[in-house]
């Protein structure tokens, strides 16, 4: 009798397991279908908003890729990611203009990238409406990338590595990064104040794309810059020895060490690459919107939503997740039907985040565990 | 015979908790040595201490005359020792080929030759080289874990319960492989739950209990020893 009962409970347990697995698959299929339908509808009915969404999405995607990479290797939520993006944007602004213009500071360096011959003259676009910036901004982005890589590595040595040595829990790491985020925002407020700034003065030219879409020419640059960088990162992760070691460490850090991988070195490389990604994402964000200290922190929610939607630790997932969040945000706000003010844009990311956490915490591309 | 691995009076543990209270073992060239003992005896901890994953508070570890006590694992790998952990010993999201590449991470040269040599030893996984390791069965994972550790053709191989949770048939073929590896000149230090199997396979053995050496000797005589049999072989 008890044997029978045991078998019965076993059978029920397996049946439940199986139905849970089937349910999980169904939710995944439903999610993909939902986003595909939404995307198709958005392309047809809200083409302009869709285009803006793709641009916002590329910025979120680039930020989310860095976030997911850092999570994969260091296993903590890097809450300073949004503020790091904005700080990088200001570093580029400083390199470009040489200006520190806070409430009490008003300094202008005698020389900056804008003083290079022709650095400010707009890069031409083959159609009507040139880019708003010259090659000076591209150089400034490189400076910002180097600076952020350095800042990240120094912060790791000063803050995160001591915590790792002490084997601190993930909450401690997350709180530490939150502290760094607040410090970064204060630095931006002190040096550049909260009034909005721009890389180039004046109105930004627009241009026509096929299917009657009119965009700011800069947005084309933003999209392709993000795409190229994401592709380069993909090549790094899947084609180079360093990238493979990063993926190995993200799978199992102990085994990586046992295999002979110098995990300290991989951590350093992760911060260098993460710093570069954060810097480009930040410059693109400031180019799309503006330079404003609070903007980075506000982006944190969409960044996390994109990361979790894609499956935390998966760079491909972060890219797709970023696109979906960006497009959904812009399209819902553009819809007269729902009538929500653009100020509530981020609540869309928030709702998606909650739904994913409830229905499928491992996201679209996440590994089983 | 010269000792290729000599562990002397090693004291080690996790944080404040001391697990090994002075363990000594030696492995000679091309020898198979088994470590048996009850659950929680510290067998895995001993391998981790040898490999620089758990810090050694006292005593020493020498790999062929070289002091490798508390050396970083990536340095130890370079000095000719490899280690297959008890669990989670493959990278599930990497392909089989990439797993093996990670095994040769410390070397820049000769990857192709190393891969072909190891695939020659393990034809079962050779046919699936671009599949993710997470999709392999338990036995094949264990094969891949062995293969990864063999990429640098180590002098000494540490194996932590390679037969755990495998089917009897798989256990046989794993032991067969380990024999092949040993005949290639690699000394093997093997931790086993499956004490009888281990003792009939190894040339010498140590019994570890509560973080200390309890017995040591010829594996055959240990298999016949009543004391060991009563205590650890369930006879
Ligand atoms: N990471 C750890 N932190 C703290 N204590 C640990 C850790 N790993 C193991 N221990 C403890 O160390 C002791 C020895 O464990 P160890 O894994 O070395 O035993 P073992 O002989 O390999 O056992 P088994 O046959 O179960 O694999 C156990 O009491 C265990 O609870
Ligand atoms: Mg063990």
């Amino acid at each position: 009798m008890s044997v029978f009962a045991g078998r019965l409970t076993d059978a029920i347990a397996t049946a439940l397991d199986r139905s849970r697995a089937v349910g999980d698959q169904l939710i995944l299929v439903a999610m993909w279908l939902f986003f595909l339908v939404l995307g198709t509808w958005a392309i047809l009915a809200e083409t302009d908003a869709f285009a803006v969404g793709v641009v916002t999405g590329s910025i979120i995607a680039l930020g989310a890729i860095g976030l997911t990479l850092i999570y994969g290797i260091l296993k903590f939520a890097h809450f300073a990611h949004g503020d790091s993006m904005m700080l990088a944007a200001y570093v580029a602004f400083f390199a470009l203009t040489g200006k520190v213009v806070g409430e009490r500071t008003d300094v202008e360096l005698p020389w900056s990238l804008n003083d290079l011959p022709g650095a400010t003259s707009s890069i031409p676009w083959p159609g009507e409406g040139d880019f708003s910036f010259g090659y000076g901004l591209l150089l400034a982005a490189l400076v910002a990338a180097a600076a952020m890589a350095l800042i990240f590595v120094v912060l790791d040595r000063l803050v995160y590595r001591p915590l790792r040595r002490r084997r601190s829990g993930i909450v401690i790491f997350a709180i530490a990064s939150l502290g760094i985020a607040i410090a970064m925002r204060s630095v931006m407020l002190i040096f550049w104040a909260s009034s909005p700034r721009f890389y180039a003065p004046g109105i930004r030219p627009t241009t026509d794309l096929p299917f009657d879409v009119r965009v700011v020419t800069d947005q084309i640059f933003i999209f392709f810059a993000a795409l190229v960088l994401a592709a380069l990162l993909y090549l790094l992760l899947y084609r180079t020895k360093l990238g493979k070691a990063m993926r190995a460490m993200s799978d199992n850090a102990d085994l990586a060490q046992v295999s002979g991988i110098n995990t300290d070195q991989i951590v350093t490389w992760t911060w260098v690459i993460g710093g570069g990604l954060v810097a480009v994402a930040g410059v693109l964000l400031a180019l799309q919107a503006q330079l404003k200290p609070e903007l980075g922190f506000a982006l944190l929610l969409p960044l996390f939503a994109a990361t979790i939607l894609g499956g935390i630790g998966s760079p491909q997932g972060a890219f797709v997740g970023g696109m979906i969040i960006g497009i959904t945000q812009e399209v819902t706000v553009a819809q007269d039907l729902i009538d929500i003010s653009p100020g509530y844009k981020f609540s869309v990311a928030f709702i998606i985040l909650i739904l994913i956490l409830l229905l499928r915490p491992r996201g679209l591309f996440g590994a089983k565990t | 015979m010269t000792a290729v691995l000599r562990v002397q009076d090693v004291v080690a543990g996790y944080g404040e908790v001391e697990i090994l209270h002075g363990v000594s073992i030696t492995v000679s060239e091309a020898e198979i040595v088994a470590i048996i003992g009850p659950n929680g005896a510290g067998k895995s901890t001993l391998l981790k201490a040898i490999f620089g994953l758990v810090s050694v508070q006292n005593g020493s570890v020498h790999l062929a005359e070289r002091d490798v006590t508390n050396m970083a694992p990536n340095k130890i790998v370079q000095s000719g020792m490899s280690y297959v952990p008890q669990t989670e010993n493959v990278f599930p999201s990497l392909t089989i080929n990439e797993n093996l590449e990670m095994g040769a991470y410390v070397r820049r040269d000769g990857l192709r030759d190393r891969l072909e040599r190891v695939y020659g030893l393990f034809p079962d996984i050779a046919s699936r080289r671009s599949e993710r390791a997470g999709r392999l069965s338990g036995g094949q994972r264990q094969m891949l874990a062995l293969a990864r550790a063999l990429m640098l053709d180590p002098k000494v191989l540490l194996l932590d319960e390679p037969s755990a949770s495998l089917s009897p048939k798989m256990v046989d073929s794993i032991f067969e492989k380990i024999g092949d590896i040993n005949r290639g000149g690699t000394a093997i230090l093997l931790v086993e739950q499956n004490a009888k199997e281990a003792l009939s396979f190894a040339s010498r053995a140590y019994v570890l209990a509560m973080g200390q050496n309890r017995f040591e000797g010829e594996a055959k005589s240990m298999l016949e020893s009543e004391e060991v049999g009563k205590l650890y072989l369930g006879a």
Side-chain angles (χ1 to χ4, degrees):
Chain A
M1 194 56 206
S2 71
V3 172
F4 177 72
R7 286 225 184 108
L8 192 66
T9 43
D10 277 358
I12 292 173
T14 1
L16 273 178
D17 268 357
R18 203 164 295 160
S19 66
R20 219 170 281 140
V22 170
D24 199 46
Q25 282 302 309
L26 280 179
I27 287 172
L28 181 65
V29 172
M31 270 164 62
W32 276 113
L33 267 180
F34 174 75
F35 288 127
L36 281 178
V37 169
L38 190 78
T40 321
W41 169 81
I43 291 178
L44 299 173
E46 290 289 347
T47 320
D48 286 338
F50 180 85
V52 178
V54 168
V55 175
T56 318
S58 357
I59 296 167
I60 297 174
L62 215 48
I65 289 175
L67 196 60
T68 220
L69 205 62
I70 292 171
Y71 180 85
I73 302 292
L74 293 131
K75 302 287 182 248
F76 76 90
H78 185 230
F79 283 121
H81 214 71
D83 288 292
S84 303
M85 277 170 69
M86 226 345 105
L87 182 64
Y90 275 104
V91 171
F93 176 79
F94 178 64
L96 194 64
T97 62
K99 279 185 193 160
V100 177
V101 278
E103 307 208 327
R104 294 195 195 89
T105 47
D106 191 352
V107 182
E108 189 168 347
L109 294 185
W111 189 87
S112 65
L113 289 174
N114 267 345
D115 296 327
L116 288 171
T120 50
S121 52
S122 294
I123 295 173
W125 170 250
E128 120 199 60
D130 292 340
F131 294 108
S132 74
F133 54 88
Y135 76 86
L137 183 65
L138 305 182
L139 294 181
L142 285 181
V143 172
M148 280 325 282
L150 187 68
I151 289 172
F152 275 1
V153 171
V154 168
L155 283 174
D156 184 69
R157 292 291 184 278
L158 292 180
V159 180
Y160 300 121
R161 190 156 79 173
L163 291 178
R164 277 200 298 281
R165 293 263 155 93
R166 260 180 246 174
R167 298 179 185 280
S168 304
I170 49 164
V171 177
I172 305 284
F173 279 94
I175 299 292
S177 73
L178 194 61
I180 290 172
I182 293 166
M184 284 178 169
R185 208 171 325 142
S186 308
V187 166
M188 292 186 265
L189 281 167
I190 291 169
F191 287 143
W192 291 285
S194 77
S195 41
R197 308 194 185 279
F198 299 89
Y199 287 128
I203 51 154
R204 293 181 297 170
T206 57
T207 193
D208 279 323
L209 290 182
F211 306 106
D212 273 347
V213 184
R214 196 159 181 87
V215 296
V216 176
T217 318
D218 289 355
Q219 293 178 333
I220 300 172
F221 172 79
I222 293 173
F223 174 68
F224 282 104
L227 205 61
V228 166
L229 217 60
L232 285 179
L233 187 78
Y234 182 87
L235 288 180
L236 173 88
L237 287 176
Y238 287 86
R239 296 279 181 274
T240 70
K241 200 168 160 182
L242 170 67
K244 289 173 192 173
M246 288 173 75
R247 284 164 52 224
M249 189 173 165
S250 157
D251 258 14
N252 184 341
D254 288 339
L255 188 62
Q257 210 181 5
V258 164
S259 301
I261 296 169
N262 184 341
T263 45
D264 281 341
Q265 222 167 53
I266 302 294
V267 166
T268 305
W269 275 112
T270 305
W271 284 118
V272 168
I273 295 163
L277 285 170
V278 124
V280 177
V283 171
L284 295 181
L285 169 67
L287 191 61
Q288 158 76 353
Q290 57 192 335
L291 290 133
K292 201 168 167 28
E294 299 84 4
L295 225 51
F297 190 70
L299 200 68
L300 207 53
L301 189 58
L303 286 183
F304 273 101
T307 307
I308 291 166
L309 171 58
I312 192 151
S314 156
Q316 299 94 307
F319 189 82
V320 174
M323 284 296 177
I324 292 177
I325 298 286
I327 292 166
T328 318
Q329 269 183 7
E330 299 299 335
V331 170
T332 37
V333 173
Q335 253 302 310
D336 297 335
L337 282 176
I338 313 177
D339 189 31
I340 48 176
S341 129
Y344 293 109
K345 221 185 255 191
F346 292 144
S347 61
V348 174
F350 187 64
I351 291 168
I352 295 181
L353 178 61
I354 297 284
L355 286 177
I356 296 297
L357 287 176
L358 287 175
L359 295 175
R360 196 182 150 90
R362 69 181 160 110
L364 294 172
F365 293 86
K368 234 183 285 182
T369 34
Chain B
M1 276 230 251
T2 46
V4 64
L5 178 68
R6 183 182 291 123
V7 178
Q8 270 169 322
D9 304 316
V10 159
V11 174
Y14 304 94
E16 299 288 290
V17 194
E18 191 180 298
I19 304 289
L20 304 175
H21 317 287
V23 176
S24 303
I25 54 167
T26 47
V27 179
S28 300
E29 247 168 46
E31 196 183 20
I32 300 181
V33 173
I35 299 177
I36 57 174
N39 284 99
K43 304 179 300 290
S44 297
T45 308
L46 175 61
L47 295 193
K48 287 183 206 163
I50 294 174
F51 215 72
L53 291 163
V54 165
S55 74
V56 175
Q57 273 125 39
N58 223 324
S60 66
V61 180
H62 283 83
L63 180 62
E65 302 310 315
R66 186 164 180 219
D67 189 352
V68 296
T69 319
N70 287 328
M71 214 183 241
N74 59 309
K75 292 277 157 48
I76 290 184
V77 169
Q78 274 166 320
S79 341
M81 182 155 62
S82 291
Y83 164 54
V84 180
Q86 184 171 353
T87 52
E88 296 180 8
N89 48 24
V90 301
F91 300 109
S93 78
L94 268 58
T95 65
I96 287 158
N97 220 41
E98 287 170 338
N99 265 273
L100 295 180
E101 255 181 81
M102 292 302 107
Y105 185 81
V106 298
R107 285 303 194 78
R108 290 174 184 282
D109 56 313
L111 179 64
R112 188 152 303 171
D113 293 344
R114 289 171 196 282
L115 281 173
E116 290 320 312
R117 183 177 55 81
V118 167
Y119 279 134
L121 275 168
F122 299 95
D124 286 3
I125 56 171
S127 54
R128 308 177 62 175
R129 37 187 97 185
S130 49
E131 269 179 58
R132 283 149 150 268
R135 298 187 45 188
L136 295 178
S137 68
Q140 285 169 327
R141 267 187 208 219
Q142 206 56 259
M143 295 281 183
L144 176 59
L146 275 177
R148 195 217 83 238
L150 286 176
M151 281 297 282
L152 295 179
D153 201 7
K155 290 194 284 276
V156 183
L157 183 59
L158 311 182
L159 300 177
D160 198 348
E161 302 201 19
S163 72
S165 68
L166 295 182
S167 68
K169 209 174 137 208
M170 230 27 245
V171 172
D172 286 346
S173 62
I174 284 279
F175 273 110
E176 208 172 285
K177 285 295 173 204
I178 298 172
D180 290 346
I181 294 164
N182 176 249
R183 276 184 289 280
T186 303
I188 286 166
L189 181 60
L190 175 77
V191 164
E192 260 302 326
Q193 276 286 309
N194 200 337
K196 272 184 188 159
E197 184 104 25
L199 288 178
S200 52
F201 181 70
S203 47
R204 283 189 314 115
Y206 292 82
V207 177
L208 208 66
M210 296 174 69
Q212 270 165 335
N213 288 65
R214 203 39 70 82
F215 295 102
E216 62 177 275
E218 296 284 315
K220 293 255 155 39
S221 60
M222 230 185 248
L223 207 50
E224 287 149 14
S225 148
E226 271 187 29
E227 215 175 343
V228 175
K230 241 186 233 141
L231 282 169
Y232 306 110
L233 305 182

